[in-house]
Amino acid sequence: MELKEFIENKYDISRFIQFISERFYGFEEEQTEPTDEDLNESEKAHIQSYRYLGRVELDDGKELGFFEFLSKSKNIENKRVGYNAVLKKLADYYGLDGAIASFYHPDSEAWRLSFIGFDFDEGKAKATNLKRYTFVLGKGIPTKTAYQQLKELKYPKFDELQDIFSIESITKEFYKGIEELFFELIEKYLTYPIEDDDRKKEFATRTIGRIIFIKFLEKKGLVPKEIFELEKDYYHNKLEILFFEQLSKPYEDRYKIFKKPSIPFLNGGLFEAIDNIDFYEFDPELQIRKRMGVINDIRISDEFFEKLYKHLNAFNFTVDENTSDDNDLSVDPEMLGRIFENFLAELTPDTLKNARKASGSYYT
């Protein structure tokens, strides 16, 4: 079976069994009937039923079990609660070192593939904790990272399985692409009227940070998807309006043509117009408006946004930050803060403090 067929479509039990059989040598299929047995009332609020699919002993002697969970919620993409307690029970019952589980709803295009590692007291007598690492898969979900990771999955040992389901590799891949685009923006795509390397880096940091932030807003339904549809002079005609005439202003203070109640006012400082210009040639009232300390004629090539969005669209974004025991292998808000700090490290000490404050990185 083609891996892409497996990860880019709705969940299907036959494909899941085939995926397991092809990648785990010695897999013993032992499908049980779906059940809600042993679920407490809290778990039943989230789980309709579960079933055991079989097990395998890895080359290092570790025992791995396979499970399927039927969710009560269709919102699989953003739903990751209610499974940990029952997984610990199943680890105890089957004597497992770890598990791979699918989480799905028949009416959802998205589904979850999780690797769970268990910690034990008294040998394997009692599972005390678990760590869950999850790829969100399915139709319409960005699966580039999942594909790159899972294509390496072939008769793994336990530590190799942990590496494949690793948030660190996702973080490195995402940041590497952003870092390359950061320097390309400064050196190739940005027209900035003052020849000052620190000012350019400050501006590039804020701009990339703002765009990543609005990807999270789009995920929450707070900015329209159309924002990411490119047009000529995209930064000037779309992003400046969103940043400086909508997100940075209360609704009642916005110019009439920009009043969209669905777009929130964010007062954290990230969208403060620090070196913006008097743009909008189509509106005479805006043409004559000047801001204190503004810089004129900032332009960004449309080609930069084509490359940036191609990179961003290869990753799944989640609005929930990861915890120590539950990690979505997606881009989460915490990454935005790391990106700010890494890029701000490019600045000289004299300008770093002001740049950090101006960028809004205190508010991520």
Side-chain angles (χ1 to χ4, degrees):
M1 176 184 63
E2 286 289 329
L3 179 60
K4 286 190 175 183
E5 180 187 359
F6 174 63
I7 65 176
E8 293 180 356
N9 284 288
K10 287 180 65 172
Y11 176 74
D12 178 84
I13 180 61
S14 62
R15 282 199 292 259
F16 187 37
I17 293 295
Q18 188 176 353
F19 169 81
I20 297 168
S21 301
E22 290 174 354
R23 286 161 176 80
F24 293 91
Y25 178 76
F27 168 62
E28 299 175 9
E29 186 176 350
E30 305 173 47
Q31 282 195 43
T32 62
E33 290 297 316
T35 181
D36 63 358
E37 187 179 353
D38 294 328
L39 296 178
N40 60 35
E41 291 306 310
S42 176
E43 291 160 355
K44 286 180 180 179
H46 305 288
I47 305 167
Q48 182 167 319
S49 65
Y50 68 91
R51 58 174 162 171
Y52 173 63
L53 302 176
R55 67 193 299 146
V56 67
E57 181 178 344
L58 305 178
D59 286 347
D60 54 11
K62 299 282 189 179
E63 295 280 346
L64 190 69
F66 299 90
F67 299 89
E68 176 191 80
F69 286 82
L70 174 56
S71 171
K72 284 191 173 178
S73 170
K74 298 179 186 178
N75 188 20
I76 294 291
E77 188 174 354
N78 298 310
K79 187 78 170 176
R80 59 178 187 181
V81 297
Y83 301 108
N84 289 6
V86 68
L87 282 166
K88 280 196 259 187
K89 292 179 198 172
L90 294 170
D92 292 341
Y93 181 80
Y94 289 102
L96 301 172
D97 297 289
I100 286 182
S102 59
F103 303 87
Y104 80 103
H105 188 283
D107 295 332
S108 173
E109 298 288 347
W111 59 284
R112 289 172 166 263
L113 179 68
S114 294
F115 166 70
I116 305 101
F118 301 105
D119 293 329
F120 290 90
D121 278 344
E122 306 168 17
K124 279 193 184 179
K126 184 174 178 57
T128 58
N129 200 2
L130 62 80
K131 292 186 177 181
R132 182 154 59 113
Y133 300 89
T134 300
F135 286 115
V136 180
L137 306 174
K139 194 172 182 180
I141 303 295
T143 57
K144 175 187 173 184
T145 303
Y147 177 78
Q148 290 178 336
Q149 297 290 100
L150 293 172
K151 71 180 182 180
E152 306 299 328
L153 181 57
K154 190 72 171 178
Y155 309 156
K157 295 180 181 177
F158 198 78
D159 58 350
E160 293 169 342
L161 199 54
Q162 289 175 312
D163 289 341
I164 287 169
F165 284 84
S166 167
I167 187 62
E168 284 76 17
S169 59
I170 311 297
T171 303
K172 287 178 183 177
E173 182 187 0
F174 182 73
Y175 179 75
K176 181 182 177 183
I178 294 296
E179 183 181 42
E180 290 173 356
L181 287 161
F182 171 76
F183 287 108
E184 284 188 30
L185 174 57
I186 295 166
E187 297 163 6
K188 182 178 178 182
Y189 295 119
L190 174 62
T191 301
Y192 200 80
I194 293 179
E195 285 302 319
D196 182 313
D197 286 345
D198 267 5
R199 294 290 289 272
K200 283 185 174 182
K201 288 174 181 177
E202 285 180 49
F203 178 80
T205 298
R206 283 195 301 275
T207 300
I208 292 174
R210 286 163 172 163
I211 290 169
I212 295 173
F213 192 85
I214 63 171
K215 284 291 287 185
F216 293 116
L217 295 182
E218 186 262 338
K219 194 76 171 180
K220 290 279 286 182
L222 296 175
V223 299
K225 294 181 184 294
E226 293 76 27
I227 285 296
F228 299 99
E229 294 176 359
L230 299 180
E231 60 179 67
K232 187 176 181 180
D233 203 1
Y234 172 77
Y235 179 74
H236 181 71
N237 290 324
K238 268 196 174 179
L239 290 186
E240 282 184 329
I241 293 171
L242 176 68
F243 293 166
F244 309 123
E245 298 299 334
Q246 293 175 325
L247 293 173
S248 65
K249 287 186 176 183
Y251 176 76
E252 59 273 15
D253 293 342
R254 297 173 189 173
Y255 285 88
K256 183 168 63 174
I257 56 173
F258 302 135
K259 284 182 181 289
K260 288 188 177 181
S262 60
I263 297 179
F265 163 53
L266 303 176
N267 63 355
L270 181 60
F271 295 98
E272 182 182 350
I274 294 157
D275 48 2
N276 192 30
I277 60 172
D278 55 332
F279 46 88
Y280 313 138
E281 293 131 7
F282 54 83
D283 191 323
E285 186 177 5
L286 289 176
Q287 279 184 12
I288 61 174
R289 182 167 50 88
K290 297 284 186 181
R291 294 187 177 91
M292 291 287 292
V294 299
I295 298 170
N296 292 316
D297 300 325
I298 295 173
R299 288 292 186 272
I300 302 175
S301 166
D302 293 338
E303 185 181 348
F304 168 75
F305 295 104
E306 291 175 9
K307 295 176 76 170
L308 176 62
Y309 289 168
K310 182 178 180 181
H311 179 67
L312 296 183
N313 291 338
F315 294 83
N316 192 43
F317 280 68
T318 177
V319 294
D320 296 321
E321 290 192 9
N322 289 324
T323 65
S324 60
D325 62 352
D326 197 346
N327 292 266
D328 272 5
L329 301 178
S330 303
V331 177
D332 75 345
E334 186 180 352
M335 285 191 193
L336 183 55
R338 294 180 197 152
I339 288 168
F340 267 128
E341 291 304 317
N342 284 330
F343 288 166
L344 292 176
E346 293 288 329
L347 304 179
T348 59
D350 290 341
T351 58
L352 178 58
K353 184 177 180 180
N354 288 336
R356 182 179 283 124
K357 183 179 179 181
S359 73
S361 61
Y362 285 148
Y363 305 95
T364 60

